Amino acid sequence: MINGHSDITCTAFLGTRMVASGSLPSVTSIVKERLEDRELLQLLIFDDSTGKQIDVHFRGKTDDLAADESPRRAGRPKLGVVSGEVTLLPRQWEWLKGQPGGASVTLRKLIDEARRAGEEQGKIRASQESVYHFMTAVAGNFPHYEEALRELYSGDMDRFYDSMEEWAPDIKSHIKKLALDAFPKRNPG
């Protein structure tokens, strides 16, 4: 199997045609069974969470396939504490020291609050980046590509989708999937 990569969901394209979508082991198995070796050379597989291309070597049996990704670095446990340096003015340190729980507890609370407040913007930004990476790889030469990118980042969903009118159906469909969180939510009104 694809060692350590079974949790990645991805989509495979041969030209403008979507060939398979799902977990990385499932997608690699499907394309290995359905496509000829010469087609595998033209196949592009994209990580659905980032829109970036994943390199998979199709040598050997399906069970031996391996994705080329950076190995995970050893580090502190998932729930462990990571130390770092923070530079503050003296008055800020004094305020932190006077807070219940001390500086560390207060900083963690402030960070968590800021993360919650910026969560929607973060989702929008991450979705836009996924769309950007995928579009750049497969649609860079398509008509109205630059216009579509401008509309993506300006937040104009209708004009974004209108600019892709002439694009291949599988490409448009995958972009719509990646762009689910790319635009601010509309308030009913």
Side-chain angles (χ1 to χ4, degrees):
M1 281 284 163
I2 311 279
N3 300 327
H5 301 290
S6 60
D7 57 339
I8 294 175
T9 59
C10 59
T11 304
F13 282 86
L14 186 60
T16 59
R17 182 175 56 100
M18 195 264 292
V19 178
S21 187
S23 70
L24 184 56
S26 170
V27 168
T28 54
S29 178
I30 290 168
V31 299
K32 180 80 169 162
E33 291 170 12
R34 291 185 185 169
L35 300 180
E36 297 177 18
D37 286 345
R38 65 179 170 74
E39 291 175 310
L40 291 175
L41 296 173
Q42 301 167 355
L43 186 77
L44 298 177
I45 300 177
F46 296 91
D47 182 326
D48 290 342
S49 66
T50 65
K52 293 182 180 179
Q53 190 175 342
I54 302 171
D55 290 327
V56 176
H57 296 285
F58 289 96
R59 295 181 298 270
K61 298 177 186 171
T62 303
D63 290 346
D64 299 332
L65 297 176
D68 270 352
E69 290 200 356
S70 303
R72 299 194 192 282
R73 294 180 17 198
R76 296 179 184 260
K78 286 183 183 177
L79 298 176
V81 175
V82 177
S83 66
E85 185 176 317
V86 176
T87 305
L88 299 173
L89 297 171
R91 72 182 188 305
Q92 294 165 330
W93 279 116
E94 288 302 317
W95 181 83
L96 276 174
K97 287 178 193 174
Q99 300 305 305
S104 293
V105 170
T106 303
L107 286 172
R108 285 193 295 267
K109 286 179 181 178
L110 289 170
I111 290 168
D112 287 344
E113 185 178 314
R115 286 179 64 199
R116 278 190 296 278
E119 194 170 291
E120 183 180 356
Q121 269 312 111
K123 278 184 179 180
I124 291 170
R125 200 169 22 258
S127 185
Q128 288 174 339
E129 288 301 308
S130 295
V131 171
Y132 167 78
H133 289 299
F134 178 72
M135 280 178 52
T136 300
V138 301
N141 292 326
F142 285 12
H144 310 291
Y145 162 78
E146 290 178 1
E147 179 185 336
L149 280 182
R150 280 192 300 273
E151 302 307 339
L152 171 69
Y153 286 109
S154 73
D156 192 330
M157 183 172 64
D158 295 333
R159 290 181 65 180
F160 172 70
Y161 289 124
D162 287 347
S163 64
M164 296 186 300
E165 184 75 26
E166 302 169 35
W167 296 9
D170 286 352
I171 299 294
K172 287 191 301 190
S173 176
H174 191 63
I175 289 171
K176 286 181 180 181
K177 176 180 165 183
L178 294 175
L180 284 176
D181 292 323
F183 300 95
K185 302 296 180 222
R186 295 180 178 174
N187 292 329

PDB file of all heavy atoms in Angstrom, residues 133-146:
ATOM      1  N   HIS A 133      -3.566  26.274  -7.027  1.00  0.00           N
ATOM      2  CA  HIS A 133      -2.574  25.252  -7.383  1.00  0.00           C
ATOM      3  C   HIS A 133      -3.104  24.323  -8.476  1.00  0.00           C
ATOM      4  O   HIS A 133      -2.401  24.034  -9.448  1.00  0.00           O
ATOM      5  CB  HIS A 133      -2.174  24.426  -6.152  1.00  0.00           C
ATOM      6  CG  HIS A 133      -1.357  25.180  -5.170  1.00  0.00           C
ATOM      7  ND1 HIS A 133      -0.119  25.717  -5.463  1.00  0.00           N
ATOM      8  CD2 HIS A 133      -1.590  25.489  -3.878  1.00  0.00           C
ATOM      9  CE1 HIS A 133       0.359  26.328  -4.407  1.00  0.00           C
ATOM     10  NE2 HIS A 133      -0.523  26.213  -3.430  1.00  0.00           N
ATOM     11  N   PHE A 134      -4.338  23.871  -8.323  1.00  0.00           N
ATOM     12  CA  PHE A 134      -4.924  22.970  -9.310  1.00  0.00           C
ATOM     13  C   PHE A 134      -5.098  23.685 -10.654  1.00  0.00           C
ATOM     14  O   PHE A 134      -4.715  23.153 -11.701  1.00  0.00           O
ATOM     15  CB  PHE A 134      -6.265  22.420  -8.818  1.00  0.00           C
ATOM     16  CG  PHE A 134      -6.943  21.533  -9.813  1.00  0.00           C
ATOM     17  CD1 PHE A 134      -6.452  20.264 -10.073  1.00  0.00           C
ATOM     18  CD2 PHE A 134      -8.055  21.973 -10.507  1.00  0.00           C
ATOM     19  CE1 PHE A 134      -7.064  19.437 -11.008  1.00  0.00           C
ATOM     20  CE2 PHE A 134      -8.679  21.162 -11.439  1.00  0.00           C
ATOM     21  CZ  PHE A 134      -8.183  19.887 -11.692  1.00  0.00           C
ATOM     22  N   MET A 135      -5.674  24.884 -10.630  1.00  0.00           N
ATOM     23  CA  MET A 135      -5.900  25.624 -11.877  1.00  0.00           C
ATOM     24  C   MET A 135      -4.594  25.918 -12.598  1.00  0.00           C
ATOM     25  O   MET A 135      -4.532  25.822 -13.825  1.00  0.00           O
ATOM     26  CB  MET A 135      -6.640  26.941 -11.598  1.00  0.00           C
ATOM     27  CG  MET A 135      -8.114  26.773 -11.408  1.00  0.00           C
ATOM     28  SD  MET A 135      -8.977  28.337 -11.018  1.00  0.00           S
ATOM     29  CE  MET A 135      -8.446  29.422 -12.320  1.00  0.00           C
ATOM     30  N   THR A 136      -3.578  26.266 -11.863  1.00  0.00           N
ATOM     31  CA  THR A 136      -2.296  26.577 -12.482  1.00  0.00           C
ATOM     32  C   THR A 136      -1.721  25.348 -13.187  1.00  0.00           C
ATOM     33  O   THR A 136      -1.169  25.457 -14.278  1.00  0.00           O
ATOM     34  CB  THR A 136      -1.304  27.100 -11.423  1.00  0.00           C
ATOM     35  OG1 THR A 136      -1.865  28.284 -10.843  1.00  0.00           O
ATOM     36  CG2 THR A 136       0.039  27.429 -12.027  1.00  0.00           C
ATOM     37  N   ALA A 137      -1.904  24.181 -12.584  1.00  0.00           N
ATOM     38  CA  ALA A 137      -1.361  22.949 -13.159  1.00  0.00           C
ATOM     39  C   ALA A 137      -2.126  22.479 -14.393  1.00  0.00           C
ATOM     40  O   ALA A 137      -1.514  21.991 -15.341  1.00  0.00           O
ATOM     41  CB  ALA A 137      -1.349  21.846 -12.107  1.00  0.00           C
ATOM     42  N   VAL A 138      -3.450  22.626 -14.388  1.00  0.00           N
ATOM     43  CA  VAL A 138      -4.231  22.032 -15.481  1.00  0.00           C
ATOM     44  C   VAL A 138      -4.907  23.035 -16.403  1.00  0.00           C
ATOM     45  O   VAL A 138      -5.271  22.674 -17.520  1.00  0.00           O
ATOM     46  CB  VAL A 138      -5.298  21.044 -14.952  1.00  0.00           C
ATOM     47  CG1 VAL A 138      -4.660  19.923 -14.176  1.00  0.00           C
ATOM     48  CG2 VAL A 138      -6.351  21.737 -14.141  1.00  0.00           C
ATOM     49  N   ALA A 139      -5.114  24.255 -15.955  1.00  0.00           N
ATOM     50  CA  ALA A 139      -5.918  25.187 -16.749  1.00  0.00           C
ATOM     51  C   ALA A 139      -5.174  26.465 -17.129  1.00  0.00           C
ATOM     52  O   ALA A 139      -5.788  27.410 -17.606  1.00  0.00           O
ATOM     53  CB  ALA A 139      -7.194  25.547 -15.981  1.00  0.00           C
ATOM     54  N   GLY A 140      -3.891  26.489 -16.935  1.00  0.00           N
ATOM     55  CA  GLY A 140      -3.113  27.701 -17.207  1.00  0.00           C
ATOM     56  C   GLY A 140      -3.218  28.215 -18.626  1.00  0.00           C
ATOM     57  O   GLY A 140      -3.054  29.408 -18.868  1.00  0.00           O
ATOM     58  N   ASN A 141      -3.497  27.330 -19.574  1.00  0.00           N
ATOM     59  CA  ASN A 141      -3.626  27.737 -20.978  1.00  0.00           C
ATOM     60  C   ASN A 141      -5.071  27.819 -21.438  1.00  0.00           C
ATOM     61  O   ASN A 141      -5.336  28.018 -22.614  1.00  0.00           O
ATOM     62  CB  ASN A 141      -2.865  26.747 -21.885  1.00  0.00           C
ATOM     63  CG  ASN A 141      -1.376  26.842 -21.669  1.00  0.00           C
ATOM     64  OD1 ASN A 141      -0.845  27.913 -21.391  1.00  0.00           O
ATOM     65  ND2 ASN A 141      -0.695  25.714 -21.776  1.00  0.00           N
ATOM     66  N   PHE A 142      -6.005  27.646 -20.527  1.00  0.00           N
ATOM     67  CA  PHE A 142      -7.423  27.689 -20.876  1.00  0.00           C
ATOM     68  C   PHE A 142      -7.862  29.139 -21.093  1.00  0.00           C
ATOM     69  O   PHE A 142      -7.291  30.071 -20.516  1.00  0.00           O
ATOM     70  CB  PHE A 142      -8.280  27.082 -19.772  1.00  0.00           C
ATOM     71  CG  PHE A 142      -8.242  25.578 -19.689  1.00  0.00           C
ATOM     72  CD1 PHE A 142      -7.311  24.824 -20.376  1.00  0.00           C
ATOM     73  CD2 PHE A 142      -9.158  24.909 -18.911  1.00  0.00           C
ATOM     74  CE1 PHE A 142      -7.275  23.444 -20.291  1.00  0.00           C
ATOM     75  CE2 PHE A 142      -9.145  23.525 -18.811  1.00  0.00           C
ATOM     76  CZ  PHE A 142      -8.203  22.798 -19.512  1.00  0.00           C
ATOM     77  N   PRO A 143      -8.925  29.342 -21.908  1.00  0.00           N
ATOM     78  CA  PRO A 143      -9.439  30.703 -22.098  1.00  0.00           C
ATOM     79  C   PRO A 143      -9.952  31.272 -20.773  1.00  0.00           C
ATOM     80  O   PRO A 143     -10.553  30.553 -19.970  1.00  0.00           O
ATOM     81  CB  PRO A 143     -10.583  30.532 -23.101  1.00  0.00           C
ATOM     82  CG  PRO A 143     -10.899  29.082 -23.118  1.00  0.00           C
ATOM     83  CD  PRO A 143      -9.692  28.342 -22.642  1.00  0.00           C
ATOM     84  N   HIS A 144      -9.674  32.516 -20.549  1.00  0.00           N
ATOM     85  CA  HIS A 144     -10.143  33.273 -19.383  1.00  0.00           C
ATOM     86  C   HIS A 144      -9.527  32.788 -18.059  1.00  0.00           C
ATOM     87  O   HIS A 144     -10.079  33.055 -16.987  1.00  0.00           O
ATOM     88  CB  HIS A 144     -11.677  33.269 -19.278  1.00  0.00           C
ATOM     89  CG  HIS A 144     -12.358  33.637 -20.542  1.00  0.00           C
ATOM     90  ND1 HIS A 144     -12.304  34.907 -21.070  1.00  0.00           N
ATOM     91  CD2 HIS A 144     -13.081  32.888 -21.405  1.00  0.00           C
ATOM     92  CE1 HIS A 144     -12.969  34.936 -22.204  1.00  0.00           C
ATOM     93  NE2 HIS A 144     -13.445  33.724 -22.437  1.00  0.00           N
ATOM     94  N   TYR A 145      -8.393  32.093 -18.146  1.00  0.00           N
ATOM     95  CA  TYR A 145      -7.720  31.594 -16.940  1.00  0.00           C
ATOM     96  C   TYR A 145      -7.366  32.742 -15.986  1.00  0.00           C
ATOM     97  O   TYR A 145      -7.670  32.680 -14.798  1.00  0.00           O
ATOM     98  CB  TYR A 145      -6.463  30.805 -17.335  1.00  0.00           C
ATOM     99  CG  TYR A 145      -5.483  30.608 -16.217  1.00  0.00           C
ATOM    100  CD1 TYR A 145      -5.701  29.641 -15.240  1.00  0.00           C
ATOM    101  CD2 TYR A 145      -4.338  31.394 -16.110  1.00  0.00           C
ATOM    102  CE1 TYR A 145      -4.808  29.452 -14.204  1.00  0.00           C
ATOM    103  CE2 TYR A 145      -3.439  31.210 -15.085  1.00  0.00           C
ATOM    104  CZ  TYR A 145      -3.673  30.235 -14.133  1.00  0.00           C
ATOM    105  OH  TYR A 145      -2.788  30.066 -13.103  1.00  0.00           O
ATOM    106  N   GLU A 146      -6.720  33.771 -16.511  1.00  0.00           N
ATOM    107  CA  GLU A 146      -6.304  34.891 -15.655  1.00  0.00           C
ATOM    108  C   GLU A 146      -7.506  35.616 -15.071  1.00  0.00           C
ATOM    109  O   GLU A 146      -7.498  36.025 -13.912  1.00  0.00           O
ATOM    110  CB  GLU A 146      -5.405  35.853 -16.428  1.00  0.00           C
ATOM    111  CG  GLU A 146      -4.041  35.245 -16.717  1.00  0.00           C
ATOM    112  CD  GLU A 146      -3.144  36.158 -17.526  1.00  0.00           C
ATOM    113  OE1 GLU A 146      -3.569  37.294 -17.865  1.00  0.00           O
ATOM    114  OE2 GLU A 146      -2.021  35.730 -17.823  1.00  0.00           O
TER     115      GLU A 146
END
